[in-house]
Amino acid sequence: MSITLIATVEAQQAYADEVLSALKAVVVPSHQDEGCEHYQLNRDPESATTFYMIEQWATPEALDAHSSTAHFKALVSALEGKAELSIKQLEVVS
C-alpha cells in the first residue's frame, strides 16, 4: 500500500522567496527517487508564506530512502531558521 503525506512549510515573511526557491529545487530530483508516485508543490492562495508538498510513495522504504537523499537533506538545511516544516501522514479510508 502506498503512503500519502502532506508536508506543510510555514515560511517567515522575510524568507518566503528563498523558501519557495528551496522547495522548487527539490521537486525534480524527488520525482526521480525510486518509489515516488506523486510529488507536488502548492502554495496557499490565502497566504504567500504557506506551502504544501503533496506526496505519495510506493512503500515505507521508498519514503525512508527519500528522507535520506542529499536533496531532501539540503531542503531541510535550507529551511532551518527560515521556516517551520511539519509532516502529516494520511490514512486511506476508502
Side-chain angles (χ1 to χ4, degrees):
M1 181 193 315
S2 63
I3 296 171
T4 303
L5 59 88
I6 298 174
T8 303
V9 178
E10 295 281 348
Q12 294 177 23
Q13 183 69 43
Y15 298 109
D17 290 340
E18 190 175 334
V19 167
L20 177 57
S21 292
L23 290 166
K24 285 181 175 180
V26 78
V27 173
V28 171
S30 294
H31 279 141
Q32 297 168 351
D33 288 345
E34 188 170 335
C36 179
E37 296 177 346
H38 184 80
Y39 200 90
Q40 181 182 39
L41 174 60
N42 302 270
R43 184 189 321 228
D44 188 324
E46 297 176 3
S47 172
T49 59
T50 305
F51 305 93
Y52 302 97
M53 215 48 110
I54 313 293
E55 306 177 29
Q56 189 163 346
W57 298 92
T59 63
E61 294 80 15
L63 176 57
D64 288 344
H66 167 69
S67 298
S68 299
T69 62
H71 54 271
F72 181 80
K73 289 179 181 180
L75 173 63
V76 171
S77 178
L79 297 180
E80 193 170 319
K82 299 172 185 161
E84 293 294 320
L85 170 65
S86 64
I87 299 172
K88 185 76 168 175
Q89 188 168 323
L90 304 178
E91 181 180 301
V92 175
V93 293
S94 66

